[in-house]
Amino acid sequence: TMLTQSPATLSLSPGERATLSCRASQNIYSFLAWYQQKPGQPPRLLISDAFNRAPGIPARFSGSGSGTDFTLTIASLEPEDFAVYYCQQRTGWPPVYTFGQGTRLEIK
Amino acid sequence: QLVESGGDLVQPGGSLRLSCTASGFAFSKYWMSWVRQAPGKGPEWVANIKYDGSETFYADIEKGQFTISRDNAQNSLYLQMSSLRVEDTGVYYCARGVVPRGSTVQYYFDLWGQGTLVAVSS
């Protein structure tokens, strides 16, 4: 299963709302996660099972969607939110784990 | 936390063994994975291992080339890499697995180490 993220780059200002998309090539139900990665750091889990926030993740981050279309929304951007975001899923047996190509969220 | 080690500069065709030491959680109760990231690219899952070591899974491109293992008594995860190619270059992360309620297999990665750099070049 392939994951396609859009847009590749999103330019917004602090305080604005960010909407990032991830499309799966086949139905993955709600088995999707979102990660944030800053330069020189490992990815950080934000959302699992499409909409469950990981412990410690601020409420401004929310996930939605099921089937093939998923969205990560950041309600009001903080300066520390500018980073690269990846979606990820697991399908099949034996299991295979795939990541999207990422969306770079940059300061406008 | 997770701390990786063992990354190095190696020639094509060479071998390397990566290690990951876990602390602060019950290592023996978690699936563990290796995930790599080539320079400027997204993460790529390499392999994972069930909490008791009874099952291992590999990305298609790694089968036969990499071997994942663990020592729960030492809270350690390993990746033995052989026949290394230039395209294996990247940061290799050790990551803890998330098993959703009602499932018996890992779906996500909730704790990552800082990574160890593997550079394959002549």
Side-chain angles (χ1 to χ4, degrees), chain A residues 1 5 14 17-18 21 27 29-30 33 35 38 47 50 52 61-63 67-71 75 81 87 100:
Chain A
T1 301
Q5 293 186 240
R17 180 185 186 91
S21 294
N27 185 357
Y29 303 94
S30 295
Y35 300 83
K38 298 179 180 179
I47 302 283
N52 289 325
F61 290 91
S62 64
T68 60
D69 291 301
F70 300 87
T71 301
D81 298 336
C87 55

Side-chain angles (χ1 to χ4, degrees), chain B residues 59-70:
Chain B
D60 270 346
I61 56 173
E62 313 305 339
K63 286 178 181 175
Q65 183 187 358
F66 292 179
T67 302
I68 188 171
S69 61
R70 67 190 296 161

Side-chain angles (χ1 to χ4, degrees), chain B residues 15-35:
Chain B
S15 298
L16 212 53
R17 188 193 196 209
L18 306 183
S19 300
C20 170
T21 301
S23 62
F25 66 95
F27 180 76
S28 63
K29 294 186 177 180
Y30 286 86
W31 286 67
M32 295 297 298
S33 297
W34 288 99
V35 179

Side-chain angles (χ1 to χ4, degrees), chain A residues 75-97:
Chain A
S76 178
L77 286 166
E78 298 287 341
E80 62 267 27
D81 298 336
F82 293 92
V84 180
Y85 292 82
Y86 296 99
C87 55
Q88 175 258 319
Q89 63 85 31
R90 183 241 104 177
T91 55
W93 191 264
V96 174
Y97 304 82

Side-chain angles (χ1 to χ4, degrees), chain B:
Chain B
Q1 66 172 357
L2 298 169
V3 179
E4 302 92 339
S5 61
D8 203 350
L9 172 63
V10 61
Q11 292 188 336
S15 298
L16 212 53
R17 188 193 196 209
L18 306 183
S19 300
C20 170
T21 301
S23 62
F25 66 95
F27 180 76
S28 63
K29 294 186 177 180
Y30 286 86
W31 286 67
M32 295 297 298
S33 297
W34 288 99
V35 179
R36 70 183 181 185
Q37 190 166 26
K41 302 294 186 182
E44 178 184 33
W45 170 71
V46 171
N48 64 353
I49 185 168
K50 196 174 180 179
Y51 52 86
D52 59 0
S54 62
E55 292 184 287
T56 58
F57 302 99
Y58 298 89
D60 270 346
I61 56 173
E62 313 305 339
K63 286 178 181 175
Q65 183 187 358
F66 292 179
T67 302
I68 188 171
S69 61
R70 67 190 296 161
D71 182 343
N72 285 345
Q74 299 293 323
N75 288 342
S76 294
L77 178 73
Y78 306 101
L79 185 68
Q80 179 68 49
M81 305 187 293
S82 61
S83 303
L84 284 163
R85 304 166 296 189
V86 171
E87 52 266 37
D88 294 318
T89 292
V91 175
Y92 283 69
Y93 295 102
C94 167
R96 189 175 72 179
V98 176
V99 177
R101 190 167 299 178
S103 177
T104 58
V105 68
Q106 173 190 343
Y107 274 74
Y108 316 114
F109 312 90
D110 72 338
L111 179 66
W112 299 63
Q114 288 298 311
T116 188
L117 179 61
V118 173
V120 185
S121 174
S122 55

Side-chain angles (χ1 to χ4, degrees), chain A residues 14-76:
Chain A
E16 289 192 293
R17 180 185 186 91
T19 303
L20 288 67
S21 294
C22 178
R23 175 165 290 178
S25 58
Q26 63 186 66
N27 185 357
I28 59 170
Y29 303 94
S30 295
F31 297 123
L32 187 96
W34 289 94
Y35 300 83
Q36 176 194 67
Q37 188 175 30
K38 298 179 180 179
Q41 296 184 18
R44 173 194 183 196
L45 178 65
L46 300 175
I47 302 283
S48 62
D49 290 337
F51 60 85
N52 289 325
R53 267 191 308 276
I57 301 304
R60 64 181 181 273
F61 290 91
S62 64
S64 62
S66 65
T68 60
D69 291 301
F70 300 87
T71 301
L72 174 69
T73 301
I74 310 173
S76 178

